[in-house]
Amino acid sequence: MKRLFLIGTLLAVGSLSLAAMQQPPAAGGPKTIDIVKLKDNFYVLTSSTPGNQATFSGGNVAVFITDGGVTLVDDKLAGWGQAVLDKVKSVTSKPITRIINTHTHGDHTGNNNFFGASVEIVAQENTKANMMKMDAFKGDNAKFLPAKTYTDKTTIGSGKDRIDLYYFGAGHTNGDTFVVFPALRILHTGDMFAWKDGPLCDRNNGGSCVAFPQTLSKVIAAVKDVDTVIPGHSPMQTPKDLQEFQRFVADLSKHAQDSMKAGKSVDDAVASFSVAKYPGYKNERVKGSIQAVYDELKK
Ligand SMILES: [Zn+2]
């Protein structure tokens, strides 16, 4: 038990902080982004897994090629705009006309300014409010904030080019958009499903590890007709994986709340939570999720 606890502590110390994740990588090395083809008119720009600061470029970017131009979902860390543009140009000659920001974080919004004010930028209204607090969007850069916002649901385009945007409540932040491409049966979750580990709940931007499981239940109930799930920071998944993640987060959140009610410390709550029944799951970020529940519920 003592050894297990020690390992848990080391993992927690070794895990990346939110601030570290949003830092552009050290200048120098080549900016290489990998691309995955999901459909003839749909690609994902990866190199999105945090951990290696030399290759981490920011979250998974969806590239949707429509009749009217290219829509991106998220646009990676500042400094990676040219690398994103080069990859998009390698698969289409159409211009980028729209960017959907799933949420406020710099590894998803870092190149709004690179792509310019001529691109239509779309986000949930709380995300726009969160972005207004960021240095990157102060002063003259306010023109790179989302010009188009929505509250609960909106649809862009029609037929094969249709995109549905949904907001189901707090989780990673208080403005996370789920993006659905109905004709292609693809869902981009942003960081509401970032990885198979404890979720990051950014309380400074309204995130909630208490509400997180219910928010995931809502997307699972409402969005049925998809085959592929694009997570925020890991390889492509299926709806079954998303359902499993919902159960994992529900377990973790309840464990944290029960532990807190029982008067246990955060470290005790971490030590008594096992990811063993979730194949492939890590516990590097479990402590952060449990701490977020404690912080949220403390009087
Ligand atoms: Zn994020």
Side-chain angles (χ1 to χ4, degrees):
M1 198 60 182
K2 200 171 175 187
R3 185 160 169 271
L4 258 182
F5 176 75
L6 180 66
I7 290 169
T9 306
L10 287 172
L11 285 173
V13 170
S15 71
L16 282 161
S17 70
L18 176 61
M21 266 186 57
Q22 293 187 70
Q23 289 298 317
K31 288 190 161 60
T32 306
I33 295 175
D34 294 317
I35 187 163
V36 175
K37 180 177 182 175
L38 296 187
K39 305 279 179 185
D40 284 342
N41 61 339
F42 197 102
Y43 296 80
V44 181
L45 307 184
T46 59
S47 311
S48 56
T49 307
N52 183 345
Q53 286 301 297
T55 56
F56 176 56
S57 61
N60 281 328
V61 169
V63 179
F64 183 36
I65 305 166
T66 75
D67 286 347
V70 178
T71 291
L72 301 184
V73 178
D74 290 340
D75 58 21
K76 295 191 177 282
L77 283 167
W80 287 80
Q82 188 61 48
V84 169
L85 181 59
D86 289 347
K87 271 297 172 201
V88 172
K89 280 183 169 171
S90 75
V91 294
T92 180
S93 56
K94 291 189 177 176
I96 296 167
T97 52
R98 182 185 296 114
I99 296 169
I100 297 163
N101 292 137
T102 58
H103 65 288
T104 190
H105 292 148
D107 52 332
H108 301 259
T109 61
N111 295 292
N112 282 18
N113 58 354
F114 176 88
F115 290 104
S118 60
V119 172
E120 180 184 52
I121 298 176
V122 187
Q124 201 273 345
E125 60 189 12
N126 299 335
T127 282
K128 181 177 182 177
N130 291 334
M131 289 168 76
M132 289 170 75
K133 296 182 289 181
M134 295 169 73
D135 286 345
F137 297 103
K138 293 258 164 78
D140 196 35
N141 284 339
K143 62 178 179 283
F144 305 119
L145 286 164
K148 179 172 174 168
T149 61
Y150 75 100
T151 303
D152 295 316
K153 190 193 170 192
T154 192
T155 291
I156 299 168
S158 62
K160 66 181 175 44
D161 291 345
R162 175 172 161 170
I163 307 170
D164 293 330
L165 308 187
Y166 296 90
Y167 174 69
F168 289 117
H172 181 63
T173 68
N174 64 352
D176 300 284
T177 290
F178 292 91
V179 187
V180 181
F181 303 90
L184 303 180
R185 302 176 63 88
I186 294 171
L187 162 65
H188 192 311
T189 63
D191 284 355
M192 285 302 294
F193 180 18
W195 41 58
K196 293 188 173 182
D197 199 338
L200 195 161
C201 303
D202 177 6
R203 298 189 64 253
N204 289 329
N205 284 304
S208 170
C209 271
V210 176
F212 214 121
Q214 292 94 294
T215 304
L216 288 174
S217 292
K218 287 179 194 166
V219 67
I220 289 165
V223 180
K224 298 276 189 206
D225 296 325
V226 297
D227 304 316
T228 305
V229 175
I230 306 171
H233 290 279
S234 42
M236 303 313 115
Q237 306 290 333
T238 67
K240 268 205 161 76
D241 293 304
L242 179 61
Q243 289 163 19
E244 180 185 53
F245 183 66
Q246 192 281 332
R247 293 193 296 274
F248 170 81
V249 177
D251 265 7
L252 178 54
S253 184
K254 182 173 188 305
H255 175 79
Q257 292 174 56
D258 290 349
S259 300
M260 189 175 174
K261 278 185 205 129
K264 288 185 185 170
S265 69
V266 169
D267 284 338
D268 283 346
V270 173
S272 55
F273 184 79
S274 169
V275 301
K277 68 172 168 162
Y278 298 95
Y281 272 68
K282 294 181 181 171
N283 62 358
E284 294 171 11
R285 296 173 180 276
V286 161
K287 184 173 183 176
S289 309
I290 291 175
Q291 183 71 55
V293 169
Y294 274 61
D295 291 347
E296 185 173 344
L297 297 181
K298 77 168 175 251
K299 297 264 166 0

